[in-house]
Amino acid sequence: MAFVAQRLDRPSSYRDHQYKGSNDQFRRDLDYTTTLYIGNLSFYTTEEQLYELFSKCGEIKRIIMGLDRHKKTPCGFCFVEYYRREDTLDCMRYINGTKLDERIIRTDLDPGFREGRQFGRGRSGGQVRDEYRQEYDAGRGGWGHLRAKQELERQADIDNNYVAITTIPQGANMDPLQPQEE
């Protein structure tokens, strides 16, 4: 049967590179999973807000917030586990692409949560995507890490190459309204 619109209860083509198993096992896990990966969350979204939204599709087993590996603060993703597979698929159909905290969230089937996956995998501890973000996004914590790094390099360049004048050179006119003596 052909579909005019793309089905909303199908997983994306993303594959977790740290998944231990074959591609066939990954697909089988996705066929039976009750876990969703939720991305593009605001850094300020709370578990209570997530529970309120996602419980509309079914009974939630648990919510695991994604955390910055170093600071242990939310970093824009979470995992939601349902008790039933049907509730998981309903969530993908009805909640994927909706707004939460002024951000369009995305949902995707996940093969299952394992301890340690709640921590961001970026070099700075957060999400890899945020390290390449060029624009200012208050909901994601401000500038992307790349931009913040550029600002630090610029400040270091200023500190190293430009010295503040602490003494007045001889012959400099202190008062611009008085004529200079010759």
Side-chain angles (χ1 to χ4, degrees):
M1 175 179 209
F3 291 97
V4 175
Q6 181 181 359
R7 295 205 40 190
L8 298 175
D9 59 351
R10 296 285 180 235
S12 71
S13 60
Y14 173 77
R15 184 180 192 283
D16 180 12
H17 296 293
Q18 294 186 358
Y19 177 79
K20 299 193 184 346
S22 66
N23 284 338
D24 290 336
Q25 182 63 43
F26 183 75
R27 277 188 242 112
R28 277 194 300 273
D29 286 350
L30 289 183
D31 287 340
Y32 297 101
T33 189
T34 58
T35 304
L36 287 173
Y37 167 85
I38 313 300
N40 202 36
L41 294 173
S42 166
F43 289 177
Y44 308 105
T45 300
T46 64
E47 281 187 55
E48 290 79 16
Q49 289 172 293
L50 293 168
Y51 189 84
E52 181 69 28
L53 177 64
F54 289 99
S55 65
K56 295 188 184 313
C57 291
E59 190 176 354
I60 295 174
K61 187 175 190 178
R62 66 180 176 161
I63 294 176
I64 301 110
M65 292 295 288
L67 301 174
D68 183 297
R69 188 174 353 126
H70 304 298
K71 297 184 245 170
K72 306 297 187 256
T73 56
C75 67
F77 71 96
C78 75
F79 297 94
V80 175
E81 286 186 20
Y82 286 96
Y83 283 103
R84 297 174 355 142
R85 169 83 175 167
E86 295 79 25
D87 298 338
T88 307
L89 297 178
D90 284 346
C91 183
M92 287 201 48
R93 282 185 198 108
Y94 304 122
I95 294 183
N96 188 28
T98 60
K99 270 191 170 185
L100 177 64
D101 273 352
E102 298 301 316
R103 303 194 57 79
I104 296 174
I105 58 173
R106 61 179 198 282
T107 64
D108 200 5
L109 290 176
D110 190 79
F113 176 77
R114 290 179 324 280
E115 192 59 40
R117 288 191 64 209
Q118 73 268 31
F119 299 114
R121 295 181 183 166
R123 286 181 302 230
S124 63
Q127 284 191 310
V128 175
R129 293 181 94 174
D130 288 328
E131 293 180 353
Y132 297 102
R133 183 168 33 89
Q134 295 290 327
E135 74 284 350
Y136 182 81
D137 188 346
R140 300 289 286 183
W143 290 105
H145 289 80
L146 237 175
R147 179 64 187 248
K149 182 180 173 187
Q150 291 170 346
E151 288 296 318
L152 286 173
E153 289 171 356
R154 181 176 166 272
Q155 188 60 45
D157 180 53
I158 289 171
D159 292 345
N160 292 335
N161 297 321
Y162 299 96
V163 180
I165 298 175
T166 56
T167 59
I168 299 170
Q170 188 162 359
N173 185 1
M174 291 295 292
D175 188 356
L177 298 177
Q178 288 189 6
Q180 198 151 11
E181 296 176 21
E182 295 184 30

